[in-house]
Amino acid sequence: RREQARLRAGVLEEDTEPWQKEPQFAGLRRVGGVDLSYSKGDESRACASLVVLSFPDLEVLYQDCRMVPVTAPYVAGFLAFREVPVLVEAVQRLQQEAPQLQPQVLLVDGNGLLHPREFGIACHLGVLTDLPCIGVAKNLLHVDGLVRDELHKEQVRSLQRSGETFPLTGTSGKVLGMVLRSHSNSSRPLYVSVGHRVSLGTAVSLVRACCRFRVPEPIRQ
């Protein structure tokens, strides 16, 4: 908890890059996606993936997928301590092997500020790499009074078209993320939250711009 609080102090919840303020994100050329997938029945090994896509064309420029040992135990609310080290290593390999392909922003399969202590995996990875990061989750994390109750389901059903959203406001009054209908062919939404060096509005717009299907292309790839 102390380490999370120390790193949490470094999170920037606003846009810091010129491309973030440009129409259609002019100046954004490379978008990264990261994910960790576990072997069935073996939580000690996982496939760590980092993919970099061109923007706005969403063509694969770089991919690094490798099986890695995962030694830290899973503890709810502290997933980043288990997964971030191997993702940081993947970013560092890219910076050494193909620095010209370094992503200008990372989409992370997980949460950012939408976390019990407002410091999910997207925040953790962002602070350690100092790259803009966005949390993109497929399911709602129940924090700060947020629950997938009938009211929430009704709000989700009200999202009729691609790009429609509603805010995730906790009982604390803070907006922790946004529910986004990312594609007209899928009624299942995404839960987008700030990771680091990006505003929530920019995060939602960029995630939508990266969606050919429900899941944004950098994470889907």
Side-chain angles (χ1 to χ4, degrees):
R1 282 173 182 266
R2 277 198 303 272
E3 180 70 356
Q4 270 186 340
R6 184 182 72 80
L7 293 170
R8 170 69 180 88
V11 171
L12 296 174
E13 299 178 38
E14 68 270 358
D15 294 328
T16 62
E17 308 304 298
W19 62 262
Q20 293 166 329
K21 304 172 177 73
E22 294 290 332
Q24 281 82 51
F25 302 124
L28 178 60
R29 299 282 179 264
R30 297 172 306 282
V31 179
V34 292
D35 191 14
L36 217 65
S37 306
Y38 292 89
S39 304
K40 274 196 167 63
D42 182 6
E43 291 287 296
S44 67
R45 285 177 60 71
C47 181
S49 303
L50 165 62
V51 180
V52 181
L53 274 60
S54 63
F55 187 88
D57 301 332
L58 303 177
E59 301 298 329
V60 176
L61 301 175
Y62 174 94
Q63 50 191 347
D64 178 354
C65 304
R66 58 184 71 198
M67 296 301 296
V68 294
V70 181
T71 53
Y74 170 72
V75 181
F78 298 95
L79 177 69
F81 289 96
R82 178 174 167 83
E83 297 192 347
V84 161
V86 293
L87 297 177
V88 169
E89 286 174 10
V91 171
Q92 290 172 339
R93 273 195 303 275
L94 166 58
Q95 289 168 334
Q96 289 165 1
E97 295 168 11
Q100 74 281 8
L101 294 179
Q102 171 161 299
Q104 292 160 277
V105 59
L106 281 174
L107 272 54
V108 183
D109 188 358
N111 292 297
L113 294 179
L114 187 58
H115 178 271
R117 287 168 297 284
E118 295 185 11
F119 195 70
I121 188 166
C123 298
H124 205 128
L125 184 63
V127 170
L128 292 186
T129 61
D130 201 31
L131 289 172
C133 280
I134 298 170
V136 185
K138 300 180 205 68
N139 299 294
L140 175 64
L141 187 65
H142 292 190
V143 295
D144 195 12
L146 296 171
V147 287
R148 196 169 166 273
D149 57 11
E150 204 47 53
L151 173 61
H152 181 81
K153 292 175 187 174
E154 183 57 42
Q155 287 177 300
V156 168
R157 284 192 290 270
S158 75
L159 303 177
Q160 294 296 309
R161 291 190 300 275
S162 167
E164 291 188 347
T165 62
F166 66 86
L168 286 165
T169 307
T171 51
S172 64
K174 174 151 185 173
V175 176
L176 295 173
M178 200 73 80
V179 183
L180 166 69
R181 179 159 182 167
S182 57
H183 199 275
S184 53
N185 289 347
S186 176
S187 59
R188 296 168 64 206
L190 296 174
Y191 297 89
V192 180
S193 55
V194 168
H196 183 52
R197 292 178 58 180
V198 65
S199 68
L200 184 57
T202 295
V204 171
S205 297
L206 181 59
V207 169
R208 190 191 172 203
C210 289
C211 286
R212 285 179 175 158
F213 304 97
R214 177 194 173 214
V215 175
E217 209 61 13
I219 291 175
R220 199 179 78 88
Q221 289 289 344

